[in-house]
Amino acid sequence: MTTTADDDGPTFSHFEAFRLINFTFIKAIQAVTAPDLSPRERAEKLMRYHGDLLAAYGPGVPLPFSEFRRKLRGPMDGLLPPWLDRSQFDDLSFPVVDAEGCVTGNAFDLQWETSQLHRILKRLRRIGRMRFTEEQLQDEIDQDQMYEILKGRGDEQYVKDRTTLVECPAGTIEELNKRGLPLNAIRYYEAIPYHAVYRTWWFPCTVCQWPMKISKRMSAGREYYRVACLYGRHADTGASFMFWPTSGDAPVLHPDSPDAPAPHEAALFLGTGVAVPEAKPVEGHLALKRGVWRYTCVPGLHELRLHSVLRERLAATQTDVGEAVMLWPMSDAYDHRVEVKGPDGRSHVFTVDVKDYTHARVLAESLHRNEGDKGGAEWLVVPDHRADQIPLLTLTCDKYGMKVATMTDFAKRVCQSAGVRWA
Ligand SMILES: [Zn+2]
């Protein structure tokens, strides 16, 4: 496969090829590591993905089966054919799968983020020359269908249900039922993922409550386990622990030392709720699918926090703060709509989309293809820990009249317009 020009549209994108290749590798890795497959099922799946990959590589790029299997354990960059232009991506030297056979956060995010881009490209122009199977699109369809299910119950209920989803990425069936989620939404919960299970136990992340990943380590000849959230920022800021193996009892976690936020970012910092989580039984508990957790719950916590901080700070100066500060308004056209009156009586409106992408270049390309924000937001806001993405995103957003800021800088700006001091 090579880059070819279309008569009536943008050229065939390296992102599209990349997406297919990346997807195939991730599925192949899952086939290698999933504990519930028989050797025969495993072999069949691997052969199929090997074939898919050869088709995507195109003629002239050989990949024997043994090398394909070996590459699954290597870095992302090693999986790409020589003809694929790497300059459109950030660093690709990270591994696709970690020592426990779990797809790394970096690789998982890249797959999802390029999928979003793929959808945009597909909308712009039908892609006839590549085979995208149902399975390849399932994760994205899941996410879309879930929002449709939530939207079916009206705007006010939508905000409630989506908040519930963000706040409850795991729980017992009884707990989930009690929270009043629509029945159709419950099917996005699955058994606790095997990478998060120790014997019959799992541990919720102290920031997001989703099951933390467990990995076996050795120190001075002694075996121990590390427990950390798959979302790196949570692990770096408190959701990281260790425990010693046990013979029958539930293990007890000991915290690692977390990073602390800069003082001026403290208001929007997602700290940990409880210091050390207790082991929960795998039996009877469910957790959201990884994609839904990563792209609904993880950014959702930032969205909820921004919303509550703005409401709190603006309450004294705005006559109806409920109308002034809105979350997921107009059937979720964007994430926030804020309308404040300044001390001089002038009105200021801010429409915002929060973007929590790991790979800023992919986000920039998506914005470029959409010619700004799809829902028409004028502000693109990234969580504070993604401040290093601001220069690149500003370059793209400038072209489409959008402004870019970190969450704290944005909140400061809103408060300033309303004559409220940010301290
Ligand atoms: Zn977490």
Side-chain angles (χ1 to χ4, degrees):
M1 184 186 307
T2 51
T3 305
T4 52
D6 243 349
D7 299 340
D8 56 349
T11 53
F12 176 77
S13 167
H14 282 244
F15 280 110
E16 292 166 280
F18 176 81
R19 174 188 182 276
L20 180 69
I21 292 164
N22 189 17
F23 175 88
T24 308
F25 268 105
I26 285 183
K27 283 291 166 189
I29 283 158
Q30 284 167 344
V32 171
T33 56
D36 49 352
L37 289 179
S38 72
R40 191 198 157 132
E41 286 170 326
R42 211 184 295 280
E44 277 173 5
K45 276 182 181 261
L46 276 178
M47 272 147 68
R48 203 180 88 214
Y49 293 129
H50 182 228
D52 285 354
L53 208 69
L54 287 175
Y57 276 14
V61 186
L63 180 69
F65 189 68
S66 58
E67 199 184 332
F68 163 67
R69 288 206 61 153
R70 189 178 54 73
K71 282 190 171 201
L72 292 179
R73 300 277 177 183
M76 174 66 76
D77 195 36
L79 312 181
L80 304 176
W83 54 260
L84 197 129
D85 176 13
R86 276 105 166 131
S87 69
Q88 297 180 79
F89 297 94
D90 299 296
D91 179 29
L92 292 171
S93 61
F94 55 84
V96 180
V97 65
D98 64 19
E100 291 76 39
C102 179
V103 175
T104 60
N106 236 331
F108 186 87
D109 290 355
L110 190 52
Q111 205 272 319
W112 198 90
E113 290 163 11
T114 48
S115 293
Q116 296 304 102
L117 177 57
H118 164 74
R119 279 155 49 120
I120 297 166
L121 294 167
K122 205 169 119 194
R123 225 184 28 243
L124 291 172
R125 164 178 54 78
R126 294 206 184 286
I127 298 167
R129 64 177 75 81
M130 284 172 75
R131 295 173 301 132
F132 283 93
T133 63
E134 270 307 294
E135 186 192 20
Q136 285 166 345
L137 296 169
Q138 197 53 49
D139 283 353
E140 303 154 49
I141 292 167
D142 277 353
Q143 190 92 350
D144 272 5
Q145 283 177 344
M146 198 186 59
Y147 289 141
E148 288 310 313
I149 290 165
L150 298 186
K151 275 177 191 165
R153 312 209 296 175
D155 276 3
E156 203 175 313
Q157 190 63 36
Y158 175 80
V159 174
K160 264 192 206 151
D161 289 342
R162 186 152 165 191
T163 303
T164 302
L165 213 58
V166 172
E167 290 174 342
C168 287
T172 62
I173 286 276
E174 294 75 37
E175 284 163 355
L176 298 175
N177 281 337
K178 242 187 249 162
R179 296 294 302 256
L181 280 175
L183 263 185
N184 277 341
I186 305 270
R187 72 186 165 93
Y188 294 99
Y189 290 83
E190 304 178 319
I192 303 298
Y194 63 86
H195 66 248
V197 174
Y198 171 75
R199 301 165 74 101
T200 58
W201 310 96
W202 68 280
F203 304 90
C205 168
T206 44
V207 182
C208 68
Q209 313 300 317
W210 201 64
M212 289 189 282
K213 180 173 182 288
I214 300 177
S215 29
K216 197 200 284 191
R217 299 283 163 86
M218 292 293 276
S219 170
R222 196 176 166 195
E223 188 179 279
Y224 72 101
Y225 289 82
R226 181 161 185 262
V227 188
C229 185
L230 266 175
Y231 187 70
R233 177 66 176 174
H234 296 174
D236 293 343
T237 53
S240 176
F241 304 86
M242 58 81 61
F243 68 82
W244 301 110
T246 60
S247 49
D249 298 342
V252 176
L253 299 188
H254 304 278
D256 290 345
S257 48
D259 295 351
H264 75 284
E265 290 177 351
L268 289 162
F269 176 70
L270 298 172
T272 58
V274 280
V276 181
E278 281 184 12
K280 292 184 180 242
V282 168
E283 172 101 35
H285 277 92
L286 300 174
L288 275 176
K289 291 182 174 192
R290 183 168 173 181
V292 180
W293 158 74
R294 173 61 185 86
Y295 286 95
T296 300
C297 301
V298 172
L301 287 171
H302 291 288
E303 291 155 11
L304 287 172
R305 176 63 64 87
L306 179 62
H307 182 68
S308 66
V309 165
L310 286 179
R311 279 206 167 176
E312 202 182 287
R313 302 215 171 190
L314 298 171
T317 58
Q318 307 298 312
T319 40
D320 185 353
V321 80
E323 274 293 306
V325 184
M326 292 174 79
L327 184 62
W328 304 315
M330 305 192 312
S331 300
D332 197 24
Y334 27 77
D335 293 322
H336 303 269
R337 184 182 189 280
V338 186
E339 182 169 1
V340 291
K341 273 221 160 42
D344 57 358
R346 272 181 54 205
S347 190
H348 305 265
V349 178
F350 302 85
T351 53
V352 182
D353 236 0
V354 173
K355 292 286 187 210
D356 180 26
Y357 274 53
T358 297
H359 303 276
R361 283 179 193 278
V362 179
L363 173 55
E365 180 70 13
S366 292
L367 289 162
H368 174 60
R369 297 293 186 152
N370 266 333
E371 300 184 353
D373 184 67
K374 188 163 54 110
E378 283 168 3
W379 282 82
L380 189 147
V381 167
V382 299
D384 288 342
H385 65 278
R386 302 220 185 267
D388 61 344
Q389 297 182 343
I390 298 282
L392 174 70
L393 296 177
T394 303
L395 274 181
T396 307
C397 286
D398 269 356
K399 285 185 206 147
Y400 305 107
M402 281 184 87
K403 297 177 220 46
V404 186
T406 62
M407 217 163 249
T408 293
D409 286 346
F410 173 76
K412 268 185 186 168
R413 172 80 175 260
V414 172
C415 286
Q416 208 175 32
S417 306
V420 173
R421 235 175 67 93
W422 180 270

